[in-house]
Amino acid sequence: MHPNALFRSEDRALFETLIEEIGFGMIFAATPDGPRVAHTPLVHTGDGAVQFHLSRGNALTRHLPGVTALAVVNGPDAYVSPRWYDDAAQVPTWNYIALEMEGPVRRMDAEGLEGLLETLSERQEARVIGGEPWTMDKMPPDKLRAMMGGITGFEMEVRGWRPTLKLSQNKPAEERARVADALEAQGAMALAQLMRTLVDDKGAT
């Protein structure tokens, strides 16, 4: 989380939307072999928890149950050039959105894992253009059981939410507008749009 309070938010609905829209993140934890990270799809449960699954062979899998871990979701980001400011006495920076979540992790049972996989496939298949959505019932039961046997489901109870929404809130409104326009011209459409919609006229989120 960025140390500047201008770049923070208490908007839990916004955090949940970020998890839903990105749908993918990283899980960090300390292990006896040193710090480790795993990349995985994430699902927000709507009641303060996130769920995910890892391969049984992942370096984190056997160490996660019962520990406090960190989950991170990264949103859009982009380089901000000093040439876009009216005042030339500036330095380069980076605008970005990121969400850190911390909490204890528990292992899910087989029923919970199956529910997680169904939710993941339903949400992501709904975004695929063309064709019929894939559903888990298209898998032969024995093959589905075998494939589920190779992964482990987890749920993190999020006790700490640490967001960073660095969208030039420390700059005057006219400077932010200029940066947003420049980012859009560079192809960073999503970040430019968020700068225009998440930041009010006073520079706060």
Side-chain angles (χ1 to χ4, degrees):
M1 182 174 68
H2 198 286
N4 190 334
L6 282 176
F7 304 142
R8 302 175 197 163
S9 172
E10 300 297 328
D11 188 346
R12 180 71 65 83
L14 177 61
F15 308 160
E16 294 175 3
T17 298
L18 180 65
I19 299 168
E20 175 72 15
E21 289 299 315
I22 302 299
F24 197 79
M26 295 166 282
I27 308 296
F28 299 83
T31 79
D33 302 316
R36 295 291 183 269
V37 59
H39 299 76
T40 179
L42 294 170
V43 168
H44 187 265
T45 64
D47 59 0
V50 290
Q51 297 177 341
F52 57 95
H53 68 277
L54 300 178
S55 165
R56 285 188 180 273
N58 189 284
L60 274 181
T61 299
R62 63 192 177 95
H63 301 296
L64 276 180
V67 307
T68 295
L70 181 71
V72 177
V73 175
N74 288 319
D77 67 272
Y79 172 78
V80 176
S81 172
R83 74 180 78 176
W84 299 335
Y85 298 118
D86 186 51
D87 178 5
Q90 303 286 337
V91 295
T93 189
W94 211 279
N95 278 1
Y96 65 97
I97 290 180
L99 174 62
E100 301 171 23
M101 297 164 282
E102 181 180 333
V105 178
R106 70 170 184 88
R107 180 174 177 168
M108 300 170 68
D109 59 20
E111 184 178 354
L113 174 59
E114 186 170 354
L116 166 61
L117 298 177
E118 287 177 347
T119 299
L120 275 171
S121 61
E122 287 173 4
R123 291 183 181 180
Q124 298 306 317
E125 285 290 320
R127 302 178 180 184
V128 178
I129 299 173
E132 290 293 322
W134 180 89
T135 56
M136 287 179 61
D137 59 12
K138 291 180 169 60
M139 289 278 291
D142 56 342
K143 188 170 184 180
L144 178 61
R145 283 193 298 272
M147 297 194 73
M148 286 181 58
I151 60 177
T152 302
F154 295 99
E155 181 173 275
M156 172 191 286
E157 178 191 349
V158 182
R159 295 182 181 175
W161 300 82
R162 296 195 291 272
T164 298
L165 294 87
K166 188 173 179 293
L167 302 171
S168 298
Q169 296 97 318
N170 57 331
K171 302 297 182 183
E174 60 274 13
E175 295 277 38
R176 291 199 309 273
R178 190 180 296 112
V179 170
D181 290 343
L183 287 173
E184 189 170 66
Q186 301 293 315
M189 310 293 189
L191 190 62
Q193 179 65 15
L194 289 169
M195 287 183 66
R196 296 184 180 116
T197 58
L198 291 184
V199 182
D200 64 25
D201 291 338
K202 295 181 181 179
T205 53

